[in-house]
């Protein structure tokens, strides 16, 4: 099957970036969310990002206009009925994702691959919520999607070699580099990144250093382009907490316990950039 129309479910931080790169690369995109304000925000973010590419001379005005025309938004998942490939990017919650995969499985054509952008949740578990586990795959884009070139491709227990091949070819069509990871909690990226971020939050909680001091140490001392607390704010503290929860539950080692300060900030609604307050104020 030739993939022409791509459905993206969830129009938050990641969904809008994923929709943008598919639209930019010539695919028709249907972006769906349960919340109209998120769709409006996503459209605004995509248009701003495309306009910046034109400003920098990385895209012509005509290509920008064509990309805008290829994108449509909706609050009904039924609008994905014509999608040839679907990427899920809703909240990092296993029950919500499983319910969505069951619904998508009910109306998507049998040959359609259902990909999840999950940061940590088992692809095998999501596949088991459908009758097409061979066509359920992890397609983990990095934030911000238009800039970051890596995509982790996660093979669930039942994911077929053909689904891996199709997803890999799609990554190449988007100008991304796919890397395969096995279906273990956090895969490769968050198995390594998130414990570092969690440890940086413990260091703030214990008064080892201020957020500025910790970020400066990691930037100047370890040559990281961004400090771990700036990065946590960028990812979203609720997302960080959800991922630590999956690592802790799935691997069972107390070293993965989410930092109490992280829990407290999320309970207070201090989610980082998207809420205006995290380790820094925005
Ligand atoms: N934030 C990051 O840096 C990052 C990076 C890589 C992967 N991820 C993963 O991407 C996914 C999305 O993360 P995000 O940061 O974009 O989250 P977000 O909170 O910014 O957005 C989630 C969106 O999903 C929508 N939503 C919730 N339930 C829905 C449903 N049933 N149907 C349709 N829409 C629904 C919400 O309205 C919201 O707009 C998560 O699985 C996350 O782990 C996040």
């Amino acid at each position: 099957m030739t993939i022409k129309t791509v459905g993206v479910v969830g129009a938050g931080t990641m969904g809008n970036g994923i929709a943008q790169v598919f639209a930019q690369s010539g695919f028709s995109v249907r972006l769906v969310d349960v919340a109209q304000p998120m769709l409006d925000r996503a459209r605004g973010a995509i248009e701003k990002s495309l306009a910046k590419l034109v400003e920098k001379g990385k895209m012509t005005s005509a290509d920008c206009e064509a990309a805008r025309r290829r994108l449509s938004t909706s609050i009904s998942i039924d609008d994905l009925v014509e999608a040839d490939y679907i990427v899920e990017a809703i909240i990092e919650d296993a029950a919500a994702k499983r319910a969505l995969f069951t619904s998508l499985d009910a109306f998507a054509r049998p040959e359609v691959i259902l990909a999840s952008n999950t940061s940590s949740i088992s692809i095998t578990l999501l596949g088991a919520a459908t009758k097409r586990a061979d066509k359920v795959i992890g397609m983990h884009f990095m934030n911000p999607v238009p800039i970051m070139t890596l995509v982790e491709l996660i093979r669930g227990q039942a994911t077929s070699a053909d689904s891996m091949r199709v997803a890999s070819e799609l990554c190449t069509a988007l100008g991304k580099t796919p890397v395969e990871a096995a279906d273990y909690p956090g895969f490769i990226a968050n198995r390594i990144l998130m414990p570092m971020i969690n440890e940086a939050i413990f260091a703030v909680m214990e008064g080892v250093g201020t957020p500025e001091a910790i970020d400066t140490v990691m930037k100047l001392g370890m040559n990281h382009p961004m400090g771990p607390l700036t990065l946590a704010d960028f990812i979203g503290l609720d997302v960080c907490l959800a991922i630590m929860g999956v690592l802790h539950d799935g691997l069972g080692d107390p070293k993965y316990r989410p930092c109490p300060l992280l829990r407290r900030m999320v309970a207070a609604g201090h989610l980082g950039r998207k809420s205006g307050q995290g380790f820094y104020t925005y």
Side-chain angles (χ1 to χ4, degrees):
M1 175 187 52
T2 313
I3 295 170
K4 289 187 181 149
T5 302
V6 174
V8 179
V9 195
T13 310
M14 296 304 288
N16 80 60
I18 296 168
Q20 180 185 330
V21 294
F22 273 108
Q24 250 174 264
S25 307
F27 296 90
S28 283
V29 179
R30 306 264 159 89
L31 176 61
V32 171
D33 199 288
V34 284
Q36 184 63 44
M38 293 305 289
L39 290 170
D40 297 341
R41 210 164 118 174
R43 192 174 266 286
I46 292 169
E47 298 204 343
K48 205 167 139 191
S49 174
L50 290 174
K52 249 193 206 157
L53 291 174
V54 175
E55 225 175 86
K56 289 185 183 161
K58 291 186 177 165
M59 190 185 230
T60 65
S61 308
D63 285 347
C64 169
E65 193 42 44
R68 289 179 69 221
R69 273 202 305 269
R70 282 193 287 268
L71 175 74
S72 64
T73 61
S74 168
I75 52 165
S76 166
I77 61 163
D78 295 343
D79 283 337
L80 298 180
V81 74
E82 281 165 24
D84 303 315
Y85 189 94
I86 297 177
V87 184
E88 167 278 313
I90 69 165
I91 46 170
E92 188 72 348
D93 177 275
K97 285 191 193 289
R98 279 176 60 86
L100 177 63
F101 270 75
T102 301
S103 311
L104 292 173
D105 187 40
F107 70 79
R109 295 193 309 280
E111 66 273 24
V112 171
I113 292 174
L114 307 178
S116 174
N117 185 52
T118 178
S119 304
S120 58
I121 294 168
S122 166
I123 299 305
T124 305
L125 193 76
L126 299 181
T130 73
K131 293 189 181 76
R132 62 178 87 193
D134 59 318
K135 294 192 176 62
V136 173
I137 189 169
M139 196 176 195
H140 183 210
F141 289 86
M142 304 291 131
N143 184 13
V145 183
I147 293 171
M148 303 296 280
T149 53
L150 175 71
V151 180
E152 255 186 312
L153 289 185
I154 299 102
R155 185 193 287 264
Q157 188 68 27
T159 309
S160 70
D162 196 51
S163 299
M164 293 299 285
R165 180 190 55 76
V166 171
S168 178
E169 286 172 6
L170 268 183
C171 289
T172 308
L174 299 177
K176 307 288 186 199
T177 303
V179 172
E180 189 176 328
D183 190 18
Y184 283 99
F187 319 127
I188 296 173
N190 283 308
R191 174 78 176 262
I192 296 169
L193 172 68
M194 223 25 91
M196 182 191 70
I197 287 178
N198 196 47
E199 197 59 33
I201 302 172
F202 269 109
V204 176
M205 188 178 80
E206 292 166 11
V208 180
T210 61
E212 289 83 357
I214 291 163
D215 278 349
T216 303
V217 166
M218 297 307 284
K219 276 195 298 184
L220 302 187
M222 317 301 156
N223 228 2
H224 288 196
M226 192 186 269
L229 299 162
T230 304
L231 181 54
D233 275 0
F234 192 63
I235 292 170
L237 301 188
D238 53 338
V239 176
C240 294
L241 179 59
I243 296 170
M244 284 312 297
V246 170
L247 290 177
H248 194 214
D249 291 348
L251 299 166
D253 190 321
K255 76 180 177 186
Y256 297 113
R257 75 197 184 285
C259 177
L261 175 59
L262 175 60
R263 287 190 189 283
R264 203 172 74 191
M265 290 177 76
V266 172
H270 294 174
L271 308 182
R273 247 169 210 283
K274 64 184 162 190
S275 72
Q277 181 66 52
F279 290 99
Y280 301 92
T281 303
Y282 301 90

